[in-house]
């Protein structure tokens, strides 16, 4: 029946779907499904039955295509800049961390504690002073000296902040 009225089904399906390509693909897959049927049901209107199968096939294809990205969407994704560091930047960063570790190891214990508390844990000066049992002024001096030492060891310029001391 499908091969006998292929052109009629094709035209009807094309009008319904609005696409010759989709209609042709749907009819091909309909043919394959009919070939694989072992116990075909008794049908009152074989043409309508075939048409319904072809429509279902086309609907399934459209659903599947909606899940796929369009070429424009793929192009847009490919244009997203990769902001992750390259291998050289990773190596340089690791070397900086090692250099900082060595510089911190050279500091006296209290100065190292002040640096870690202020820079890494972002603690205010008065909390660091209370924790170490020293004055806030001692914390400020230790921090300034630690920063100078680490900057010198890493070959960096220490910038002086404007606006006064660190927040307390």
């Amino acid at each position: 029946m499908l091969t006998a009225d292929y052109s009629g089904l094709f035209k009807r399906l094309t009008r319904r779907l609005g696409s010759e390509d989709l209609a042709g693909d749907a009819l091909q897959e309909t043919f394959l499904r009919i070939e694989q049927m072992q116990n075909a049901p008794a049908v009152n209107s074989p043409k309508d039955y075939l048409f319904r199968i072809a429509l279902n096939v086309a609907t399934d294809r459209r659903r599947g295509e909606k899940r796929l990205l369009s070429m424009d969407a793929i192009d847009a994704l490919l244009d997203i800049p990769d902001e992750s560091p390259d291998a050289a930047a990773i190596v340089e960063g690791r070397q900086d961390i090692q250099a900082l570790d060595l510089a911190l190891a050279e500091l006296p214990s209290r100065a190292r504690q002040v640096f870690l508390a202020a820079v890494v844990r972002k603690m205010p000066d008065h909390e660091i002073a209370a924790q170490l049992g020293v004055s806030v002024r001692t914390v400020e001096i230790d921090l300034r000296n630690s920063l100078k030492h680490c900057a010198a060891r890493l070959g960096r310029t220490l910038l002086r902040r404007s606006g006064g001391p660190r927040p307390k």
Side-chain angles (χ1 to χ4, degrees), residues 46-154:
K47 285 183 183 180
D48 290 338
Y49 180 70
L50 291 173
F51 185 72
R52 175 50 50 199
I53 292 173
L55 279 177
N56 290 342
V57 167
T59 301
D60 291 346
R61 283 192 170 228
R62 281 190 171 156
R63 283 186 191 136
E65 288 174 1
K66 282 184 182 178
R67 284 184 243 137
L68 300 176
L69 292 175
S70 68
M71 289 306 291
D72 290 339
I74 292 170
D75 287 342
L77 288 173
L78 292 174
D79 285 341
I80 295 174
D82 183 9
E83 296 177 9
S84 59
D86 61 358
I90 291 171
V91 169
E92 185 179 332
R94 287 181 181 159
Q95 290 172 343
D96 286 349
I97 290 171
Q98 288 175 341
L100 180 61
D101 283 343
L102 291 173
L104 288 173
E106 296 171 352
L107 291 172
S109 176
R110 187 183 71 210
R112 184 173 43 255
Q113 288 175 318
V114 167
F115 179 92
L116 293 173
V119 175
V120 177
R121 294 190 302 267
K122 309 284 188 210
M123 289 175 61
D125 291 351
H126 69 278
E127 285 183 24
I128 299 169
Q131 183 178 350
L132 296 176
V134 296
S135 70
V136 172
R137 180 75 180 132
T138 300
V139 168
E140 291 170 350
I141 291 169
D142 281 348
L143 180 58
R144 184 180 63 239
N145 290 338
S146 299
L147 289 170
K148 283 181 183 177
H149 174 77
C150 290
R153 288 290 186 258
L154 271 71

Side-chain angles (χ1 to χ4, degrees), residues 4-49:
D5 190 30
Y6 183 85
S7 63
L9 281 169
F10 179 77
K11 287 177 185 176
R12 188 175 165 201
L13 202 54
T14 300
R15 279 193 307 271
R16 181 75 177 265
L17 299 173
S19 167
E20 286 185 355
D21 290 339
L22 185 57
D25 290 347
L27 283 175
Q28 281 184 327
E29 192 165 330
T30 299
F31 180 79
L32 293 174
R33 287 188 184 185
I34 296 294
E35 284 286 308
Q36 292 175 354
M37 283 186 177
Q38 301 207 352
N39 297 327
V43 179
N44 291 335
S45 176
K47 285 183 183 180
D48 290 338
Y49 180 70

